[in-house]
Amino acid sequence: MPLHADQRSDELRCRGRAARSRKPALCDGQDHTADRERAGVIRAATCRGIQGPPPKDIRFGIGDVVSVTIFEAAAGGLFIPVEAGVRPGNYITLPNQNVDTDGNISVPYAGAIRAKSRTPTEVQRSIVDALKNRAIEPQAVVALIEQRTSLISVLGEVNSPNRFPANAAGEHVLDAITRAGGPKGQGFDTWVMLERDGKRTTVPFGQLVYEPKSNIYAHPGDTIYVYREPQTFVAFGASGAQGQFNFEAWRISLAEAVAKAGGLNDSSADPASVFVYRGELPEVAAKLGVDVSKYSGPIIPVVYNINFRDPAGYFLATRFQLRNKDVLYASNAASVEDAKVMQQIRLVTATVNDPIVAAYNATLLRNSIKLAP
């Protein structure tokens, strides 16, 4: 069913049409995030709730190794004896300790101090509050000696898969991939999957490079999986070659895709009937004029048509970006379809005529034999 809103410029025209099938696309009750990702609809790595603000302060977790130093204003207090007045500093450093399975650290005269899910400043404040009535104007410094939680995992097609501590200053996804040695393959067929708090999103590696807003901050506990999956499109119909073709680049235009498929067949293709079949987001389809209320799935099937008989169509084809898993179809010319019909008619008439000709020839042969001396 044609759309009422065509994409037009002064000389260019590209029609989008919803698929004729009334069956809702991808409506089977399953999670179709992967289909949406392959359709190129994930933008700025915000799919399914994963957002890009910088991470908060690093917080202690169970197993982290912590150092605690306590200062007093003068000797003769709880930790500093009177004779220690000649020391260069009125402080003591406790032995390094792990955050225990209960999420606490132990400080003499203060007891168990909660450390899990708290920042060093918060732990310092708790220690001072516990000692302020016993020590002389106590102050505390808490430092993270060995970070065993708040880690970022980078695995897959990288040179050095690793699990390393998150940077307190904050780092982006590309920074984390760099710390793991960078991707093994070329970027145009590399994808990056980010998992955070049970949610996942996937973007092309090139999107992180060329669209800075997509290169969001990595958070402690993130898992980054780098894998290779060539972007492909399928071409069939009256094109020079038919089959599945790799992009071999992050982005290619429709004109480049037609060229990869061997161009249009001069003897059979209709240059005015070149189609691209694609799944679009409902909001995109709505802007094209599709009544999206008829579809309950996350993807709306849309068909784009370009006319290569119009010279302006070539300029449009250079600006129309193909997406991963698009389908390119070049329709046959009307004369080809007519020729197919004539061929069928000829086949039927030949089928009927051949026995008649054979019988006539047999009759002639028999008569010739009878007349022979």
Side-chain angles (χ1 to χ4, degrees):
M1 180 177 180
L3 296 178
H4 296 293
D6 295 348
Q7 297 179 349
R8 289 190 177 98
S9 64
D10 292 342
E11 297 180 339
L12 306 179
R13 187 170 186 238
C14 178
R15 298 195 304 271
R17 285 177 281 185
R20 296 181 181 273
S21 172
R22 293 284 182 172
K23 183 178 179 180
L26 300 175
C27 182
D28 54 10
Q30 299 180 4
D31 182 359
H32 294 288
T33 300
D35 299 292
R36 295 164 66 92
E37 291 163 356
R38 285 171 172 75
V41 300
I42 298 207
R43 297 177 177 87
T46 59
C47 177
R48 302 182 66 191
I50 295 183
Q51 303 295 331
K56 298 179 181 179
D57 294 335
I58 299 295
R59 296 177 179 271
F60 295 126
I62 295 175
D64 284 344
V65 180
V66 178
S67 169
V68 178
T69 301
I70 301 174
F71 294 79
E72 288 189 276
L78 185 60
F79 295 100
I80 311 301
V82 175
E83 63 272 14
V86 297
R87 292 174 56 183
N90 294 326
Y91 65 90
I92 62 165
T93 299
L94 303 181
N96 294 343
Q97 57 182 306
N98 291 1
V99 178
D100 63 26
T101 55
D102 294 326
N104 301 324
I105 59 173
S106 180
V107 177
Y109 305 106
I113 301 297
R114 186 69 177 176
K116 180 183 176 182
S117 302
R118 303 179 75 184
T119 65
T121 301
E122 293 170 340
V123 176
Q124 290 168 184
R125 189 179 302 116
S126 295
I127 295 174
V128 171
D129 290 341
L131 297 175
K132 63 184 178 182
N133 294 327
R134 309 185 67 178
I136 302 174
E137 299 181 19
Q139 299 291 323
V141 174
V142 178
L144 180 60
I145 300 301
E146 185 177 345
Q147 189 173 337
R148 297 178 179 174
T149 60
S150 298
L151 304 178
I152 297 174
S153 300
V154 181
L155 59 152
E157 289 290 321
V158 291
N159 289 300
S160 302
N162 201 357
R163 192 166 183 246
F164 43 79
N167 191 332
E171 58 187 338
H172 295 84
V173 172
L174 281 181
D175 299 327
I177 294 174
T178 300
R179 290 175 68 179
K184 288 183 178 179
Q186 301 185 55
F188 58 74
D189 61 358
T190 300
W191 295 74
V192 179
M193 176 188 293
L194 172 64
E195 181 175 357
R196 176 182 301 167
D197 300 328
K199 301 173 183 177
R200 292 180 181 176
T201 187
T202 303
V203 295
F205 180 78
Q207 183 172 331
L208 301 180
V209 175
Y210 297 110
E211 298 180 7
K213 65 179 181 180
S214 297
N215 186 25
I216 64 175
Y217 280 97
H219 286 202
D222 282 356
T223 298
I224 299 172
Y225 176 57
V226 180
Y227 65 97
R228 298 176 65 182
E229 180 181 316
Q231 297 188 81
T232 62
F233 70 94
V234 175
F236 62 97
S239 57
Q242 302 181 24
Q244 185 180 66
F245 300 88
N246 293 339
F247 279 22
E248 297 181 347
W250 180 40
R251 288 175 174 170
I252 64 171
S253 66
L254 175 58
E256 292 170 321
V258 172
K260 277 182 173 290
L264 301 181
N265 191 318
D266 289 341
S267 61
S268 60
D270 179 5
S273 300
V274 178
F275 303 94
V276 175
Y277 295 77
R278 172 182 298 171
E280 293 284 12
L281 281 176
E283 51 265 32
V284 176
K287 290 181 179 179
L288 292 173
V290 180
D291 182 7
V292 297
S293 62
K294 298 178 181 178
Y295 302 89
S296 58
I299 297 297
I300 308 299
V302 175
V303 178
Y304 295 93
N305 171 224
I306 187 168
N307 181 6
F308 280 114
R309 290 187 185 278
D310 183 355
Y314 289 92
F315 294 99
L316 173 61
T318 62
R319 301 210 310 265
F320 188 93
Q321 297 293 330
L322 218 63
R323 290 183 185 166
N324 191 32
K325 308 305 180 186
D326 275 354
V327 175
L328 175 63
Y329 175 71
S331 178
N332 286 330
S335 59
V336 174
E337 300 301 326
D338 294 340
K340 288 182 178 180
V341 173
M342 297 302 296
Q343 180 67 21
Q344 292 297 322
I345 295 174
R346 182 182 180 282
L347 179 62
V348 172
T349 56
T351 303
V352 174
N353 186 58
D354 287 348
I356 298 174
V357 172
Y360 178 75
N361 291 336
T363 302
L364 289 179
L365 178 60
R366 185 181 63 184
N367 293 335
S368 299
I369 294 174
K370 289 181 177 180
L371 297 175

